[in-house]
Amino acid sequence: MTYFSDSADSDRHQTQQAILEATHQILLESGYNGISISQIADRVGISKSVIYHYYDDKESLLAEFLDVAHERFLEQIFGQEETTPRDELEHFLTLFITIPPVGCESETELTQLAKTYVELRTQSISNPDYRAIFTDSEEDIKRRLTETIEAGIDQGEFKPVNPERTSEHIITFVDGVLFRQATTESIDSELLHSEIQEHLADRIYR
Amino acid sequence: MTYFSDSADSDRHQTQQAILEATHQILLESGYNGISISQIADRVGISKSVIYHYYDDKESLLAEFLDVAHERFLEQIFGQEETTPRDELEHFLTLFITIPPVGCESETELTQLAKTYVELRTQSISNPDYRAIFTDSEEDIKRRLTETIEAGIDQGEFKPVNPERTSEHIITFVDGVLFRQATTESIDSELLHSEIQEHLADRIYR
């Protein structure tokens, strides 16, 4: 099973899944400016016309890609059975702030993902379609996170914090981690990890 | 007095100041992809060859631009006389999290600045020179902020927090604000403003 094909996609055409999977790989390898319809077609082993059968252009293919990736992301965090609100919150943060092994020189997969994500999201500055996509997906994550925090309060796991405010803060923090990770060498993940854990213990967990 | 010419620059050639000022204006109007040497020359009213006398190419001009802008930024925050550590910290945060007036439809200058900054900084993903510039400037801000926090603790204004950790957290938060502001419509500045004020009152201020 690959990232872009699982049971939730049983009605999605197999070729489309292969196209999205190839898009994902090429984005990670070459970034937003390095990706083209011909490259995706080559990777899948189909002709460009097959891709144009499904998508008008590179932008609409990437819009679909972002949409599916967003759904996958939400499922991974919030769609799990038998998790507590605290597990969900921890899992959400752990996905963003992973401490690379000490002495690890090579670029971690997380940094590569952060770079791809930041590069795509920066298209929002000049492209209103991207802006709408990323605004929607951030609103969506904010809503889910707020529900998680509300559930934590209801179940007595969390202190009676303001759920909207807390999720707004967490999302800003996580976006900052991604942006710094993608664009500088200055981030100290270990320090941030301990800071956020202390913050959660102090302000949110009972 | 414009942003790129003040007493600290008395020895910088007047033409260079005009070039940097025009760069600043065009970046705000048209973004990174919209700026060219000819456009800058037109704006200043000089020929392209004059610009090439000072700079090898657009990249080295932008590198100089970023360097000067960074120094100006540091002076604005940390170079003021008769400020307390608390004033410096508040001033730093206020520069990033300004609440636009209610009902204000037009794009605020801050959002436009955030867009330009995020667009330039995203060049770090594919360009090692930019990466070095933004890593250095972030390290620099982190160092100054850490010193501010240390001074606040020494002078009894702040609780005995971990200065490095606290500045790492604040920088991540502020980078998150900029990134969200530049790339989505989803940020709620008012909520963030009250959250960060409460956070400071609770964790940092005595």
Side-chain angles (χ1 to χ4, degrees):
Chain A
M1 192 188 86
T2 58
Y3 194 59
F4 288 98
S5 63
D6 68 11
S7 53
D9 269 332
S10 55
D11 55 347
R12 192 187 294 275
H13 195 283
Q14 217 178 331
T15 310
Q16 266 183 292
Q17 290 177 357
I19 292 169
L20 293 177
E21 184 63 40
T23 303
H24 183 67
Q25 286 167 11
I26 298 170
L27 274 175
L28 284 180
E29 289 161 21
S30 324
Y32 176 77
N33 291 312
I35 198 167
S36 68
I37 294 282
S38 358
Q39 223 182 343
I40 300 167
D42 284 353
R43 184 71 59 104
V44 182
I46 54 179
S47 77
K48 288 204 287 181
S49 64
V50 178
I51 296 183
Y52 285 119
H53 170 73
Y54 295 109
Y55 305 102
D56 286 343
D57 49 26
K58 180 174 132 173
E59 269 59 45
S60 63
L61 165 53
L62 285 173
E64 160 97 358
F65 167 81
L66 287 170
D67 200 42
V68 177
H70 174 68
E71 287 305 321
R72 288 284 170 286
F73 172 77
L74 286 184
E75 273 168 36
Q76 249 190 301
I77 306 282
F78 301 104
Q80 306 301 320
E81 304 219 334
E82 295 179 40
T83 51
T84 66
R86 181 168 165 158
D87 287 341
E88 278 185 359
L89 191 55
E90 294 270 349
H91 188 34
F92 179 80
L93 288 163
T94 309
L95 268 196
F96 291 101
I97 315 166
T98 301
I99 303 171
V102 177
C104 172
E105 284 289 309
S106 80
E107 184 157 76
T108 61
E109 203 189 337
L110 186 71
T111 305
Q112 196 47 47
L113 257 174
K115 286 183 178 180
T116 308
Y117 176 76
V118 166
E119 206 171 30
L120 281 167
R121 192 162 144 180
T122 302
Q123 304 305 315
S124 300
I125 295 174
S126 49
N127 183 327
D129 292 343
Y130 278 87
R131 197 169 187 83
I133 290 170
F134 283 106
T135 297
D136 284 352
S137 79
E138 209 171 71
E139 290 288 341
D140 211 11
I141 294 171
K142 219 154 81 174
R143 200 160 35 238
R144 301 295 287 264
L145 210 52
T146 304
E147 283 167 13
T148 297
I149 295 165
E150 282 165 350
I153 298 168
D154 285 350
Q155 293 166 30
E157 270 197 315
F158 297 167
K159 291 177 182 160
V161 293
N162 178 321
E164 273 95 26
R165 225 200 237 193
T166 306
S167 80
E168 188 87 20
H169 186 198
I170 291 173
I171 282 178
T172 303
F173 185 77
V174 153
D175 273 350
V177 170
L178 285 174
F179 187 49
R180 294 183 66 199
Q181 202 148 34
T183 60
T184 72
E185 306 292 331
S186 117
I187 195 166
D188 187 329
S189 306
E190 216 157 326
L191 222 55
L192 276 180
H193 193 262
S194 42
E195 176 65 29
I196 193 75
Q197 287 303 329
E198 202 179 292
H199 181 85
L200 294 173
D202 189 43
R203 306 252 306 170
I204 300 182
Y205 299 153
R206 266 197 196 280
Chain B
M1 194 187 88
T2 59
Y3 195 58
F4 288 98
S5 64
D6 68 10
S7 55
D9 269 333
S10 55
D11 55 348
R12 192 187 293 276
H13 194 284
Q14 217 179 329
T15 311
Q16 265 182 293
Q17 290 178 358
I19 292 169
L20 294 177
E21 184 61 40
T23 304
H24 183 68
Q25 286 167 11
I26 298 171
L27 274 175
L28 283 180
E29 289 160 22
S30 324
Y32 176 79
N33 292 313
I35 198 168
S36 68
I37 293 283
S38 358
Q39 223 181 344
I40 299 167
D42 284 353
R43 183 72 59 106
V44 182
I46 52 179
S47 77
K48 287 204 289 181
S49 63
V50 178
I51 297 184
Y52 285 118
H53 170 73
Y54 296 110
Y55 305 102
D56 286 345
D57 49 25
K58 179 175 134 176
E59 268 59 45
S60 63
L61 165 52
L62 286 173
E64 160 97 357
F65 167 81
L66 287 170
D67 200 42
V68 177
H70 174 67
E71 288 304 322
R72 287 284 171 287
F73 172 76
L74 286 185
E75 273 168 37
Q76 247 189 301
I77 306 285
F78 301 104
Q80 307 302 320
E81 303 217 337
E82 296 179 41
T83 51
T84 65
R86 182 168 164 158
D87 287 341
E88 278 185 359
L89 192 56
E90 294 271 347
H91 189 35
F92 179 81
L93 288 162
T94 309
L95 268 196
F96 291 101
I97 314 168
T98 301
I99 302 172
V102 177
C104 171
E105 283 289 308
S106 79
E107 185 157 74
T108 62
E109 204 188 338
L110 186 73
T111 306
Q112 196 47 47
L113 257 174
K115 285 182 179 181
T116 308
Y117 177 75
V118 166
E119 206 171 31
L120 281 167
R121 191 160 146 183
T122 302
Q123 305 304 316
S124 300
I125 295 174
S126 50
N127 183 326
D129 292 341
Y130 278 87
R131 198 171 186 82
I133 290 169
F134 283 105
T135 297
D136 284 352
S137 79
E138 208 170 72
E139 290 288 342
D140 211 12
I141 294 171
K142 218 154 81 174
R143 200 160 36 236
R144 302 293 287 264
L145 210 52
T146 304
E147 284 168 13
T148 296
I149 295 163
E150 282 165 350
I153 298 168
D154 284 351
Q155 294 167 27
E157 271 197 315
F158 297 167
K159 291 176 184 162
V161 294
N162 178 321
E164 272 96 24
R165 228 200 234 193
T166 305
S167 80
E168 187 87 20
H169 186 197
I170 291 173
I171 283 178
T172 304
F173 185 76
V174 153
D175 273 351
V177 170
L178 286 173
F179 187 49
R180 293 182 67 199
Q181 202 147 35
T183 60
T184 72
E185 307 292 331
S186 117
I187 195 165
D188 186 330
S189 306
E190 217 158 324
L191 222 55
L192 277 180
H193 193 262
S194 43
E195 176 64 30
I196 193 77
Q197 288 302 331
E198 202 180 292
H199 181 85
L200 293 173
D202 190 44
R203 305 252 307 169
I204 300 181
Y205 300 154
R206 264 193 199 284

